[in-house]
Amino acid sequence: MEPGCGEGGGGGGGGRDERVPQWGAQETRELIAARGEMERESAAAAAARRSAKTLWEAVSARLRERGYRRTAEQCKCKWKNLVNRYKGKETSDPENGRQCPFFDELHAVFTERARIMQQQLLESESGPSVKKKLKRPSGDLSSEDSDDEEDGGGDSGDEKPIRSRKRKTADKRQQSQQMAEKSRTSISSIHELLQDFLVQQQRMDIQWHEMMERRSQERLVFEQEWRQSMQKLEQERLMLEHTWMEREEQRRMREEARAEKRDALLTTLLNKVLQEDL
């Protein structure tokens, strides 16, 4: 991270300015939206290139229209921080890329940029007339983090030697070829990332199905063991109940025997008493 590009967005060359308020979530989304709008407008316009300073001043102006007061340098620094976090999450671990804050908004901007670059590449390869009008693709706006400004106009009205014009035309053609090659490389890298993501997703799906099947088997084994335990407990309960009933029957029989003996003794005593009275 460059000096002066903290989350607060201070624009000075020294340390972070504590007086600059933090970026809120909605304010950050508005910054990303304004940057995406500039991407589309830069791609749609066939005029001269937009310098980095002019670009961020336009983004700052759009934020002011939406009620947020941020300087061009603050917008630029915040965008650098967002891009660094997005690229770090996206390229190192695509599966966990969505842990990056504002990933969906940034991903939409870069996806639209790749689409525009591919469209410009196809247009540049369609014919010589389109090649003459080929300008710098808007997908390279992320390289505008430096403050270098290019002057696309200048001395177009001055008369120059034919050799100088040919050299300038060759330089432009070479630059266009380099930019087209760069756009192809960027699109190829995006396709590779998507392919890696799909492979990771398929691997995770397989692991998930294996885990669910393993858990299902474990559940079946547990249920079988539980049923066996319940059956064993039921058998033990029946045995205890049978033993208890036998003991109760034996106790009842003893009680009846004692009652009969007692009745017989009482009858004998009564008879003996009656005989003595007589």
Side-chain angles (χ1 to χ4, degrees):
M1 183 181 299
E2 295 182 1
C5 287
E7 280 299 318
R16 173 180 170 183
D17 188 357
E18 297 295 340
R19 294 173 299 177
V20 177
Q22 295 286 338
W23 286 77
Q26 185 60 32
E27 184 180 9
T28 304
R29 291 189 180 92
E30 294 294 345
L31 170 65
I32 298 173
R35 187 64 163 79
E37 292 171 1
M38 298 305 300
E39 295 262 351
R40 290 187 292 272
E41 291 178 4
S42 298
R49 303 186 184 104
R50 183 191 298 272
S51 67
K53 183 177 180 181
T54 305
L55 170 69
W56 290 113
E57 287 178 351
V59 172
S60 175
R62 297 209 174 188
L63 286 180
R64 283 196 301 271
E65 293 175 357
R66 300 173 187 181
Y68 301 101
R69 299 184 62 83
R70 293 288 182 176
T71 64
E73 186 66 21
Q74 290 173 357
C75 296
K76 173 184 171 182
C77 292
K78 181 62 178 178
W79 179 256
K80 281 186 180 180
N81 294 335
L82 292 172
V83 171
N84 289 335
R85 297 185 68 179
Y86 169 83
K87 288 184 176 180
K89 290 291 183 181
E90 182 197 37
T91 57
S92 62
D93 190 2
E95 186 64 26
N96 298 327
R98 292 190 177 274
Q99 295 177 1
C100 172
F102 311 104
F103 181 89
D104 293 334
E105 292 84 352
L106 292 167
H107 189 66
V109 172
F110 289 114
T111 303
E112 179 68 12
R113 172 184 298 176
R115 187 191 66 79
I116 293 173
M117 291 171 61
Q118 187 174 12
Q119 182 179 359
Q120 290 182 347
L121 177 61
L122 294 175
E123 292 176 355
S124 66
E125 294 176 351
S126 62
S129 60
V130 181
K131 285 186 178 180
K132 292 180 181 180
K133 298 180 181 180
L134 181 62
K135 299 295 181 180
R136 182 180 179 181
S138 62
D140 290 336
L141 289 176
S142 60
S143 63
E144 295 168 351
D145 293 337
S146 63
D147 293 332
D148 298 336
E149 300 184 10
E150 296 182 11
D151 188 1
D155 300 331
S156 58
D158 297 336
E159 296 182 357
K160 295 183 178 180
I162 299 177
R163 184 179 300 174
S164 176
R165 292 182 180 178
K166 289 183 178 180
R167 183 166 59 251
K168 186 175 181 180
T169 303
D171 292 341
K172 288 184 177 180
R173 186 180 297 110
Q174 183 178 2
Q175 184 179 5
S176 300
Q177 292 175 355
Q178 291 176 354
M179 298 308 299
E181 182 66 24
K182 186 175 181 181
S183 65
R184 280 194 293 266
T185 304
S186 177
I187 295 172
S188 177
S189 64
I190 293 175
H191 288 169
E192 291 176 358
L193 288 175
L194 292 175
Q195 186 69 23
D196 293 340
F197 174 76
L198 292 176
V199 172
Q200 290 281 349
Q201 190 67 29
Q202 291 176 355
R203 187 181 298 114
M204 288 187 65
D205 291 340
I206 294 174
Q207 293 176 355
W208 183 80
H209 286 298
E210 292 177 352
M211 182 184 66
M212 294 302 296
E213 185 176 358
R214 185 168 59 253
R215 288 186 177 180
S216 178
Q217 293 293 334
E218 292 175 355
R219 188 182 72 254
L220 292 176
V221 172
F222 174 78
E223 290 178 354
Q224 186 176 2
E225 293 178 351
W226 180 80
R227 290 193 185 96
Q228 293 176 356
S229 300
M230 290 295 102
Q231 291 176 359
K232 186 176 180 180
L233 289 174
E234 183 66 18
Q235 291 176 358
E236 292 177 354
R237 188 187 66 80
L238 293 174
M239 290 177 63
L240 290 173
E241 185 177 354
H242 181 69
T243 303
W244 177 80
M245 292 178 66
E246 289 180 350
R247 289 179 181 177
E248 285 294 318
E249 183 67 20
Q250 292 176 1
R251 186 186 61 79
R252 186 182 61 79
M253 293 175 65
R254 287 194 299 268
E255 288 289 337
E256 291 178 354
R258 282 197 296 268
E260 290 177 357
K261 289 180 180 179
R262 185 174 60 252
D263 293 342
L265 180 60
L266 289 174
T267 302
T268 303
L269 289 173
L270 289 173
N271 292 332
K272 186 176 180 180
V273 171
L274 290 174
Q275 289 178 358
E276 289 178 354
D277 291 339
L278 294 174

